[in-house]
Amino acid sequence: MPYATTRELVAALQSGKTSAAALLADSIERIKQFDPALNAVAVRDFERARVAALAADAALARGDRRPLLGVPVTVKEAFNVEGLPTTWGIPGTGQPPAAEDAVLVRRLKAAGAIVIGKTNVAMQLADWQSSNPVYGRTNNPWDLARTPGGSSGGGAAALAAGYVSLEFGSDLVGSLRVPAHFCGVFAHKPTHGLVPMRGSAPPGTPALSADPWVDLAVVGPMARSPADLALALDAIAGPDDAQAIAYRLALPPSRHAALADFRVLLLDTHPLVPTSAAVRSALQRLADGLARAGCRVERGSPLLPDLARVASLWGQLLWAQLGADMPGAEAGISHRDWIHADRMRAATAHRWRALFAQWDVVLCPVSPTPAFPHDPGEMETRRLRIDDHEIAYKDQSPWSSLATLTGLPATAMPIGLSEEGLPVGMQIIGPYLEDRTTIAFAEAVERAFGGFVPPPGYDG
């Protein structure tokens, strides 16, 4: 059942049509078959997974109905899993192994999921390619000569290749959304702070008792269907232990269920970066389909924040985040400058609130192009070709800044293939804390127009 959804696997497990041991054996066999070429699973934990699968089957036989009981999953290498190394791709790290699970991993296990391994990442989680000196390079199942994205690229490749039905990663500069776009799968960047990040810190740093407010960054699920994103989010969302003594999570329901009821603002051009014809044409086809389905679709609004200003503020705050641990006064920004930028962020959040009073979702590209060829050159000297244009490699990030700056939820989903046969995705940005709306819109689009399709050669 390599391309069954998680919900289908759960139903099969609970009805007795399959077993956790059988699903695990299928996953392991598929990894052995395809991973020599893909290199998606960096750390394998098959023996402990086999023990967990037998325990899950016994629990199912007793009538245990936890939401993910018996389902094999993978997680990004950056998450601590007790007994396994965490390196972020940095040589000389990973020992001693993690002493405890990350909060996200602990919640997955509590829901009954079987963590079978950890997937490959970009070096220090800082690239749109998943390659590092510790585990090597991960290739895209759609074209081995191309990147699966980063930094959660190993997880997206594992999903597209049918290893597992759920993967979990992190996102600061599109690290969930870009791999989903490049590999033709779904991902959800939750509202900032919705899922605890404790246990996904750099190797050797302490896992603080409660640290949900790491600026800009989030952790969240990847899947091959939006319904599975919703299932996974329910399993991992909610306050960390220290906050849970005082409050509980109560996300509002989706604004709508029927596709025709959604008010859609669609963007396909950005003032700071060109967008390829492959991406724009896929969005246009979708826009035409949405209009035929009865959606209100527009391409502009006076309430839309200035996209260039959003990217600039995001860059300042990102540099403050990344520069905090760099030597030298030139790294990062001053606290005074951060305060000023944060005030501008608050003003931008207010503008988004006004916009989402009139619109339900904003649709836009994830990245300027489909998956690009591997580029092992130094980051500062790399160039990215976008049709007839060429830009600095690092300048491809503005689209991911839209949701990240103010912590908005964003669901990435596949919407077709380019003329080269590569996946093209879009991101669905929604109002703050209305994660169920962006996922429900993805479900409605999937029902109307389709979603994930397996890469050629992997569906046999």
Side-chain angles (χ1 to χ4, degrees):
M1 305 172 69
Y3 287 110
T5 67
T6 302
R7 290 179 182 271
E8 289 169 342
L9 295 179
V10 169
L13 285 163
Q14 293 183 356
S15 67
K17 292 181 179 178
T18 190
S19 67
L23 293 182
L24 175 61
D26 288 346
S27 288
I28 291 173
E29 183 58 34
R30 204 157 174 88
I31 292 169
K32 289 180 177 178
Q33 179 182 2
F34 292 114
D35 221 42
L38 294 182
N39 190 33
V41 182
V43 181
R44 302 179 181 186
D45 199 18
F46 295 165
E47 290 308 313
R48 291 198 301 181
R50 290 186 176 100
V51 173
L54 292 176
D57 284 330
L60 285 162
R62 294 193 301 270
D64 192 334
R65 292 298 180 261
R66 280 174 287 164
L68 298 176
L69 184 58
V71 176
V73 304
T74 50
V75 300
K76 189 173 183 174
E77 199 273 351
F79 291 114
N80 287 342
V81 175
E82 181 269 323
L84 299 182
T86 300
T87 71
W88 289 34
I90 304 169
T93 63
Q95 295 300 325
E100 62 180 5
D101 291 333
V103 171
L104 178 146
V105 174
R106 174 161 51 83
R107 290 180 178 178
L108 289 175
K109 291 180 178 179
I114 299 171
V115 179
I116 68 172
K118 304 210 291 181
T119 50
N120 203 21
V121 297
M123 171 71 166
Q124 294 182 309
L125 314 189
D127 199 346
W128 295 287
Q129 303 179 82
S130 290
S131 179
N132 61 75
V134 178
Y135 300 115
R137 186 182 79 188
T138 298
N139 300 316
N140 192 318
W142 289 87
D143 181 347
L144 299 181
R146 295 176 186 265
T147 174
S151 60
S152 306
L159 284 168
Y163 295 178
V164 290
S165 62
L166 282 180
E167 156 74 14
F168 296 82
S170 58
D171 191 305
L172 176 62
V173 191
S175 287
L176 281 164
R177 292 165 285 168
V178 172
H181 161 59
F182 283 180
C183 293
V185 299
F186 292 79
H188 183 67
K189 184 197 87 65
T191 294
H192 184 253
L194 186 62
V195 181
M197 292 192 64
R198 180 159 56 93
S200 60
T205 59
L208 302 178
S209 59
D211 189 14
W213 301 116
V214 177
D215 202 15
L216 301 173
V218 300
V219 297
M222 307 176 82
R224 292 190 298 266
S225 80
D228 285 354
L229 292 179
L231 178 65
L233 188 66
D234 285 344
I236 62 175
D240 201 347
D241 300 347
Q243 288 80 32
I245 63 171
Y247 66 86
R248 295 290 183 270
L249 179 65
L251 290 178
S254 171
R255 293 184 174 189
H256 312 290
L259 186 60
D261 293 337
F262 281 91
R263 301 166 296 173
V264 178
L265 183 63
L266 188 142
L267 311 174
D268 64 359
T269 60
H270 196 287
L272 299 183
V273 63
T275 303
S276 69
V279 172
R280 286 185 288 107
S281 61
L283 279 167
Q284 182 60 56
R285 289 192 298 272
L286 179 68
D288 293 342
L290 292 174
R292 289 193 299 270
C295 289
R296 177 189 171 193
V297 182
E298 299 289 347
R299 288 182 171 270
S301 167
L303 298 174
L304 185 69
D306 183 294
L307 302 190
R309 183 59 174 154
V310 168
S312 175
L313 286 170
W314 169 82
Q316 292 179 59
L317 294 169
L318 176 68
W319 186 236
Q321 176 83 346
L322 300 180
D325 297 314
M326 296 180 182
E330 71 280 2
I333 62 175
S334 70
H335 187 243
R336 177 182 178 179
D337 289 343
W338 188 93
I339 291 292
H340 289 165
D342 191 47
R343 288 172 179 168
M344 293 301 297
R345 170 165 52 183
T348 304
H350 178 74
R351 197 169 182 90
W352 279 119
R353 283 193 293 273
L355 182 142
F356 283 118
Q358 296 189 12
W359 301 96
D360 298 312
V361 292
V362 172
L363 310 185
C364 65
V366 174
S367 190
T369 68
F372 52 82
H374 297 292
D375 187 345
E378 293 296 325
M379 182 86 72
E380 293 303 316
T381 61
R382 294 180 198 161
R383 308 290 293 177
L384 178 69
R385 177 158 291 280
I386 305 173
D387 295 341
D388 296 330
H389 304 274
E390 193 175 80
I391 65 169
Y393 182 87
K394 61 182 178 59
D395 290 344
Q396 62 183 293
S397 60
W399 284 117
S400 65
S401 70
L402 265 67
T404 303
L405 174 66
T406 54
L408 300 178
T411 302
M413 73 170 293
I415 56 173
L417 299 178
S418 71
E419 291 184 357
E420 296 179 279
L422 297 171
V424 176
M426 70 172 177
Q427 57 178 326
I428 307 158
I429 301 174
Y432 186 73
L433 287 173
E434 295 194 45
D435 296 63
R436 299 199 193 283
T437 291
T438 65
I439 295 175
F441 182 79
E443 288 188 76
V445 171
E446 180 192 47
R447 286 194 299 269
F449 308 113
F452 170 80
V453 294
Y458 292 84
D459 55 350

